[in-house]
Amino acid sequence: MSEPFIAEIRIFAGNFAPRGWAFCDGQLLPVSQNTALFSLIGTTYGGDGRTTTALPNMQGRAPMHPGSGPGLTSRRLGEKVGVETITLTEEQIPSHSHIARASSTSGGVAAPSTTTSFGRSGSDRVYHSDTTSNLVDMASQTLSTTGGSQAHDNVQPFLAMNFIIALQGLYPSRS
């Protein structure tokens, strides 16, 4: 295999970083011992730029090319976007409705089913089985909101592998 360019990133299936490479895990490196690497990545991924530079942190992230295309959002080199979990708000879910049906006739007690309405028998409310056409929509205020506001996974299917960055190798020339 040819010698890598300094700052080149590869996917590596091993559980260690080979000699001359480091995991892309956001670690800080001393600039004084990595001057060539620092001249290429600077503080794009962190570090103070005087004594430290940071490696890209690919943990839990998918790589994306910087820039933009027609109709796409512009992305800067080193920009982190996205979250692993998300809680949807009412404004983010598709528009839909829930319908409650009621009957104006007295009802007997029956187990709820898809043809069951909520009726009233004297002062007690009971379920009433009614397949006739005398069902009417109830006022929208009758139904309350639902949901637990719990976050759900927002992660595409993945296979965990190591991203490694070359600390040594050929210094890339500009075209």
Side-chain angles (χ1 to χ4, degrees):
M1 179 171 274
S2 65
E3 191 171 1
F5 288 118
I6 298 169
E8 178 179 336
I9 293 176
R10 293 183 184 172
I11 296 175
F12 183 65
N15 63 357
F16 64 94
R19 186 182 0 239
W21 295 78
F23 289 121
C24 292
D25 60 4
Q27 66 181 301
L28 293 175
L29 298 179
V31 171
S32 61
Q33 295 172 26
N34 298 279
T35 54
L37 179 66
F38 178 71
S39 72
L40 294 167
I41 66 172
T43 57
T44 301
Y45 307 100
D48 64 15
R50 293 184 330 279
T51 59
T52 62
T53 186
L55 298 180
N57 189 351
M58 294 300 301
Q59 297 174 110
R61 302 229 166 245
M64 176 184 272
H65 195 283
S68 67
L72 299 176
T73 304
S74 180
R75 304 285 185 219
R76 294 181 334 272
L77 186 63
E79 181 180 11
K80 293 180 184 176
V81 179
V83 293
E84 289 188 17
T85 62
I86 189 167
T87 302
L88 295 177
T89 64
E90 189 174 341
E91 291 77 27
Q92 293 170 318
I93 61 174
S95 177
H96 66 283
S97 61
H98 298 258
I99 298 174
R101 311 276 300 179
S103 174
S104 57
T105 60
S106 295
V109 177
S113 70
T114 56
T115 60
T116 300
S117 61
F118 188 63
R120 183 180 179 122
S121 179
S123 62
D124 297 323
R125 292 184 175 100
V126 295
Y127 288 102
H128 173 71
S129 183
D130 192 340
T131 56
T132 63
S133 61
N134 66 344
L135 298 178
V136 294
D137 289 345
M138 295 173 68
S140 60
Q141 309 85 288
T142 308
L143 301 173
S144 62
T145 58
T146 187
S149 297
Q150 299 296 309
H152 69 274
D153 285 342
N154 191 41
V155 179
Q156 63 187 356
F158 62 87
L159 172 64
M161 300 192 70
N162 287 310
F163 283 83
I164 54 174
I165 185 168
L167 305 177
Q168 301 168 1
L170 300 173
Y171 193 89
S173 60
R174 298 181 188 261
S175 311

